[in-house]
Amino acid sequence: MKIQRIIGKVLKYFSLALITLVTTGPVFLAVLTSLKSKNEVYDLGVLELPGQLHFENYVTAFVDGNMMTGFKNTLIMVIVALGGAIINGTMVAYVFSRFEFKGKQILKSLFLFASLVPGMTIQVMLYQMISRLGVYNTRMAGFLLYIGTDIISIYIFLQQADSIPVSLDESAMLDGASYLAIYQKIILPLLKPAVATVAIIKGVGIYNDFYIPYQYMPKNRLRVVATALFQFRGQYGTQWEVICAGVIITILPILILFILLQKYIYNGLVQGAVK
């Protein structure tokens, strides 16, 4: 038994070390590459240290990459899309949880089916819809896609909405509350753990997303942080040192936010999972 416990501990720490290496290794390599010159990127090995630290790569990435505009557009996208997804998801969950109507189970099944369809298989149809709506190359394209295709969030909200006692609704109705008032004053406040979970998962997803901004919002003034550095990739060469510097700049806000709010993030994830 003692040998088994020792082997178990060795395997546990080995797996943790391996996972840590896999997750932090690319970030370390990005930092190392961002401090090299263009010649050193191609002449030196991947793990070799540069002869001199080139912090000007960060200035080039931030200024020439127009990162300030990227952060502004990303912030607008996250706030509007996240707010819309939360309102849309909680309202749909409220209707499915509290009301009985014909075709309810069919609709729930269709939502489940939609969540199982690979996103890339419907991109042609989505592109045609966005074009015909006349919102291509506008922020509205991103808003509609982030909000309208958010099926998983609905099921997260629905799972917790089903655990809220119906007696609370009945008591509110006896006091003259409308369905909208019940949603605003009872359902939505009690869905806070699920809202925190969705806000964390979807917010990070929107911040990191490259495909939707690149495909549906290609204008320079609409670039987000994920697409701002794409201009450093050219036909005759790629400025990897500048791109890596931009990647580190992009990571820093999320890293700082995580350090400051990690207690609330963990609580939101755990409570949302329990509910």
Side-chain angles (χ1 to χ4, degrees):
M1 293 296 293
K2 186 176 180 180
I3 295 176
Q4 290 179 349
R5 285 197 297 269
I6 293 174
I7 294 175
K9 286 184 178 181
V10 170
L11 291 176
K12 179 177 69 174
Y13 287 111
F14 175 77
S15 61
L16 290 174
L18 182 61
I19 293 172
T20 302
L21 181 63
V22 170
T23 54
T24 61
V27 178
F28 172 76
L29 292 178
V31 172
L32 196 59
T33 304
S34 69
L35 297 174
K36 295 179 179 179
S37 67
K38 186 172 183 178
N39 292 331
E40 288 175 333
V41 170
Y42 294 99
D43 295 339
L44 298 180
V46 178
L47 296 176
E48 287 188 65
L49 296 175
Q52 182 181 355
L53 301 181
H54 295 271
F55 291 102
E56 64 271 15
N57 293 331
Y58 288 87
V59 178
T60 302
F62 191 84
V63 177
D64 294 349
N66 205 4
M67 295 289 288
M68 186 59 70
T69 300
F71 280 116
K72 182 192 73 173
N73 290 333
T74 301
L75 184 62
I76 293 173
M77 191 63 60
V78 169
I79 292 175
V80 177
L82 195 56
I86 290 173
I87 293 173
N88 177 62
T90 51
M91 283 187 170
V92 172
Y94 173 52
V95 171
F96 276 133
S97 177
R98 292 299 193 262
F99 298 95
E100 294 295 333
F101 52 89
K102 291 183 178 180
K104 175 180 175 180
Q105 294 302 323
I106 295 177
L107 284 176
K108 290 177 70 174
S109 300
L110 289 175
F111 273 112
L112 179 61
F113 174 76
S115 66
L116 298 177
V117 176
M120 287 300 161
T121 62
I122 59 173
Q123 288 306 311
V124 175
M125 180 187 66
L126 285 178
Y127 184 84
Q128 291 178 345
M129 290 175 61
I130 293 298
S131 298
R132 291 179 181 179
L133 287 173
V135 295
Y136 178 76
N137 236 342
T138 67
R139 289 194 181 97
M140 185 56 66
F143 296 153
L144 291 176
L145 290 172
Y146 285 129
I147 296 172
T149 58
D150 191 29
I151 308 298
I152 302 299
S153 297
I154 293 176
Y155 276 91
I156 294 175
F157 290 131
L158 182 59
Q159 184 182 14
Q160 187 168 4
D162 287 338
S163 67
I164 300 174
V166 181
S167 58
L168 295 176
D169 301 27
E170 296 171 347
S171 299
M173 287 180 182
L174 292 176
D175 292 334
S178 63
Y179 290 125
L180 183 58
I182 293 172
Y183 165 77
Q184 291 177 333
K185 298 180 179 179
I186 296 177
I187 302 298
L188 191 57
L190 292 177
L191 288 177
K192 282 183 179 179
V195 169
T197 303
V198 171
I200 294 163
I201 297 173
K202 191 167 184 65
V204 173
I206 295 173
Y207 184 86
N208 291 329
D209 186 38
F210 175 84
Y211 180 78
I212 289 178
Y214 177 72
Q215 180 68 27
Y216 298 97
M217 299 182 296
K219 278 186 181 179
N220 289 338
R221 64 180 182 85
L222 297 178
R223 282 180 175 172
V224 297
V225 291
T227 58
L229 299 174
F230 196 68
Q231 60 184 311
F232 294 110
R233 180 182 179 275
Q235 181 179 0
Y236 301 104
T238 301
Q239 302 179 53
W240 291 113
E241 70 284 357
V242 179
I243 291 177
C244 288
V247 169
I248 301 303
I249 294 174
T250 303
I251 291 173
L252 286 177
I254 289 293
L255 180 61
I256 294 172
L257 192 64
F258 175 79
I259 292 173
L260 295 176
L261 303 177
Q262 58 180 322
K263 179 177 69 174
Y264 304 100
I265 292 173
Y266 289 140
N267 288 340
L269 289 172
V270 172
Q271 292 179 24
V274 171
K275 288 293 184 181

